[in-house]
Amino acid sequence: MSETARTSSNSEALAKTAKPAPACTMVIFGANGDLTKRLLMPALYNLSGSKLLDDRFEIIGVDRDASTDEDFRDRQQTMMESFTPAAAGEFAEKALNMEWWGWLKDRLHYMKGDFTTNDIFTALTERLKDRNAVFYLAVADRFFSGIVDMLHKSNLTDERDGSFRRVVIEKPFGHSLQSAKELNAEILSKLDEGQVYRIDHFLGKETVQNIMTLRFSNGLFEPLWNRDHIDSIQITAAETVGVEKRGKFYEVTGALRDMVPNHMFQLLAMTTMEPPNSFDADAVRTEKAKVIDAIRPLTPADVETNVVRGQYVAGTAASGNVIGYTEEPDVAADSTVETFMALKLTIDNWRWAGVPFYLRTGKHMSSRSTEIVITFKQAPTVMFRDTGVSRMPPNTIVLQLQPNEGIATHFNAKRPGQVVELNDVRMVFRYEDFFELKPSTGYETLIYDVLIGDPTLFNRADNIEAGWKGVQPILDAVANGGGTIHTYPAGTDGPAAADALLSLDGRQWRPLKSSSSWSRTSAAP
Ligand code: BG6
């Protein structure tokens, strides 16, 4: 796996310095879109600050509007300035670092072009000649196969004289198993798998990458990571934001397609896959595909009992009073699209037989929290039978990705005093306590990896298809009128039916607000 661009260890002995990526032109289709402004540009800026881009690196932004290099640069700068803390943004340092930004700004170019017609591809051929190039498809998914087709027809994907030509494809990669298969087949009839980088930005998050290290480099955890010791696993990706201005997109996507076969299953795969033989990209991706492929297919009856679809109604969210989903712009008044999903899955393989996996994700929930909770089986209670101990909370390991990055272990300790009384205590490792954490969007590592040609953190065709295969029974059930929609007030932890999903098994979700107790200033136990 590649070195990351942004995290430097305090330990000199362990620190390794990543080399600048080779010279390359990055062509961004959809240069005026949100993804470019909000995520790609800040990530490239951070890479510029880390000196990980070659001096001959350049960007050609392609979009339909008429514009000049200057206008493009100015527009991007205005957006970057809005990310500084002074402007209540979340990515940048105190103020835009003009050395980092100046370096990048000088390398930004713009070409007007309609990527459904030939002209822009002819112009790009002229411009790129035999240079290394990465084509970044930051466009709506309906354009993916058309752009790949045009690139191919214009010979822009030919790799000549040792140069590389790579294509980065955003999610959503298809909208069902069938459509993902078709898209893969179309793309792979024009490109080698090695040229295709299907991106899932969750894999760029430092804590996600750390799951493999945690599991496979620690004698403390590795022997316990199986059905003999683990009772159940919960994966949560809760957001406080609603669908914002993405009503149109969300109406045809919903929480299931938006989050589950991609982000949530990537977390599931990292947590459950078998150890790969090495960090080799294909070794890692093979193990991930295998475990996702082993998810037991849900029957229509399972969809009714193991899946909860929810939709937010007006309520009080973190940002104040908010409207319900069906009142959002571009959303149908009678929409039954879900903004929340909870599901129970099992993995039919040797390691995980019998262990339930509970996944939930939602918009406008009470707290922002992305975490994986590993709950261990109880120790025998026999020793405590004649004491006042009536309850022994199970041990858990919480891998937290957001809002704090770290790992906590919860276990029982004896409360000081003459009577035997147990207390749930925890040990917390916060990244920020051990490492210098630089502002990051999650895209830095991924862009750098594309430039150096390391596909480990990108999805191969089979990873994508395994993900869709896992959720297809739910999509089918919903298409056939199943999958009742439950409402929940914005600003809560989701519909009551999601709690019932676990309580029927004698378990409960870790409360979302628990994640806020990680901050160093919190006094919570
Ligand atoms: C995107 C989804 O892929 O991931 C969004 O389309 C979601 O709906 C986002 O908000 C979550 O990513 P993060 O990094 O903010 O947790």
Side-chain angles (χ1 to χ4, degrees):
M1 200 190 310
S2 65
E3 292 295 313
T4 70
R6 58 184 189 280
T7 306
S8 63
S9 162
N10 287 339
S11 157
E12 285 292 309
L14 289 176
K16 284 192 196 157
T17 312
K19 294 193 189 77
C24 171
T25 301
M26 188 163 155
V27 179
I28 304 179
F29 292 102
N32 291 337
D34 250 28
L35 180 77
T36 306
K37 283 187 285 208
R38 293 187 173 279
L39 293 162
L40 300 185
M41 225 29 91
L44 288 160
Y45 163 83
N46 288 337
L47 284 173
S48 151
S50 310
K51 309 273 180 284
L52 286 174
L53 299 172
D54 187 276
D55 261 340
R56 289 156 298 165
F57 176 79
E58 62 167 357
I59 289 180
I60 302 178
V62 177
D63 221 318
R64 294 172 195 228
D65 325 295
S67 182
T68 61
D69 285 0
E70 265 324 299
D71 285 345
F72 181 53
R73 291 171 184 179
D74 290 346
R75 270 203 312 275
Q76 299 300 325
Q77 178 159 335
T78 307
M79 195 68 183
M80 288 297 298
E81 279 163 350
S82 76
F83 293 140
T84 57
E90 57 175 321
F91 299 130
E93 310 262 9
K94 287 189 190 74
L96 204 55
N97 177 320
M98 288 318 285
E99 187 198 330
W100 301 8
W101 175 248
W103 187 94
L104 185 63
K105 191 176 174 186
D106 289 347
R107 288 164 177 77
L108 298 182
H109 307 279
Y110 186 84
M111 284 170 75
K112 173 183 180 308
D114 174 350
F115 29 75
T116 60
T117 62
N118 274 326
D119 297 357
I120 186 67
F121 297 92
T122 311
L124 281 171
T125 307
E126 268 301 295
R127 183 84 171 254
L128 291 173
K129 305 220 160 41
D130 282 340
R131 297 200 60 187
N132 292 331
V134 166
F135 302 100
Y136 201 117
L137 275 45
V139 293
D141 55 326
R142 63 180 185 281
F143 296 114
F144 292 164
S145 75
I147 295 180
V148 169
D149 187 42
M150 295 290 223
L151 288 170
H152 173 71
K153 282 198 185 120
S154 329
N155 301 323
L156 277 160
T157 48
D158 289 358
E159 299 186 316
R160 291 197 205 94
D161 304 326
S163 67
F164 62 75
R165 293 292 164 99
R166 299 176 184 141
V167 179
V168 181
I169 304 183
E170 271 291 335
K171 67 174 267 282
F173 194 96
H175 49 88
S176 62
L177 177 58
Q178 184 58 27
S179 62
K181 279 185 172 169
E182 284 165 11
L183 187 55
N184 271 327
E186 260 176 60
I187 289 172
L188 294 177
S189 68
K190 281 142 202 159
L191 297 171
D192 284 340
E193 176 64 53
Q195 293 178 282
V196 187
Y197 288 70
R198 301 173 193 81
I199 203 163
D200 183 317
H201 79 277
F202 264 46
L203 290 174
K205 294 180 193 276
E206 197 60 50
T207 15
V208 177
Q209 294 170 48
N210 191 41
I211 298 173
M212 269 206 281
T213 307
L214 172 86
R215 288 186 55 198
F216 302 131
S217 75
N218 290 302
L220 179 62
F221 302 124
E222 191 277 332
L224 306 180
W225 218 264
N226 56 52
R227 67 172 190 284
D228 294 335
H229 303 282
I230 291 179
D231 164 81
S232 59
I233 294 185
Q234 293 180 16
I235 303 181
T236 294
E239 301 183 81
T240 47
V241 292
V243 295
E244 299 180 297
K245 297 190 185 112
R246 299 162 79 212
K248 216 180 243 165
F249 163 80
Y250 218 76
E251 277 287 89
V252 292
T253 309
L256 177 65
R257 288 189 175 93
D258 191 32
M259 297 294 288
V260 180
N262 30 63
H263 302 329
M264 304 290 285
F265 280 4
Q266 287 303 322
L267 301 184
L268 181 67
M270 286 293 201
T271 311
T272 57
M273 70 186 196
E274 291 301 310
N277 287 349
S278 68
F279 273 128
D280 173 72
D282 277 327
V284 173
R285 297 190 298 176
T286 298
E287 294 307 335
K288 279 176 27 184
K290 262 165 65 183
V291 77
I292 297 301
D293 194 49
I295 292 174
R296 183 185 300 168
L298 296 169
T299 62
D302 292 336
V303 174
E304 289 310 313
T305 52
N306 296 2
V307 174
V308 176
R309 298 173 67 237
Q311 188 186 80
Y312 64 79
V313 293
T316 311
S319 55
N321 291 341
V322 298
I323 53 174
Y325 175 69
T326 52
E327 298 152 78
E328 300 275 9
D330 300 320
V331 170
D334 59 351
S335 174
T336 55
V337 167
E338 77 285 344
T339 60
F340 172 96
M341 280 299 299
L343 55 152
K344 174 180 165 184
L345 298 172
T346 43
I347 294 179
D348 273 343
N349 70 11
W350 198 251
R351 183 185 289 266
W352 297 113
V355 177
F357 292 85
Y358 303 100
L359 275 53
R360 70 176 158 168
T361 181
K363 299 272 185 204
H364 265 331
M365 300 190 68
S366 65
S367 313
R368 182 175 193 222
S369 171
T370 308
E371 62 180 24
I372 302 165
V373 183
I374 324 285
T375 303
F376 288 84
K377 291 190 170 165
Q378 292 275 20
T381 52
V382 62
M383 223 186 100
F384 297 94
R385 68 178 169 254
D386 296 326
T387 68
V389 173
S390 56
R391 173 179 161 268
M392 289 180 28
N395 299 155
T396 54
I397 296 181
V398 180
L399 314 181
Q400 193 168 106
L401 280 58
Q402 282 164 169
N404 308 291
E405 296 184 299
I407 299 168
T409 53
H410 293 250
F411 52 94
N412 296 309
K414 180 183 165 296
R415 187 180 274 278
Q418 276 61 45
V419 291
V420 181
E421 216 183 312
L422 297 188
N423 218 88
D424 178 22
V425 297
R426 66 172 184 197
M427 287 194 302
V428 178
F429 151 67
R430 292 181 199 87
Y431 271 77
E432 57 176 345
D433 292 343
F434 285 81
F435 305 107
E436 182 199 345
L437 288 185
K438 293 189 181 159
S440 148
T441 63
Y443 274 81
E444 290 79 356
T445 305
L446 298 173
I447 293 176
Y448 176 73
D449 283 356
V450 176
L451 300 179
I452 64 165
D454 181 348
T456 312
L457 297 177
F458 294 82
N459 284 313
R460 231 172 30 193
D462 55 343
N463 298 97
I464 296 273
E465 291 172 19
W468 282 112
K469 184 179 140 224
V471 299
Q472 190 61 47
I474 310 177
L475 295 173
D476 291 341
V478 173
N480 292 327
T484 316
I485 195 99
H486 303 264
T487 56
Y488 62 99
T492 62
D493 283 6
D499 295 330
L501 181 68
L502 268 74
S503 58
L504 281 174
D505 291 350
R507 300 187 176 91
Q508 55 187 27
W509 295 106
R510 195 173 115 89
L512 287 182
K513 64 172 173 7
S514 319
S515 43
S516 53
S517 66
W518 278 49
S519 84
R520 261 187 271 176
T521 48
S522 160

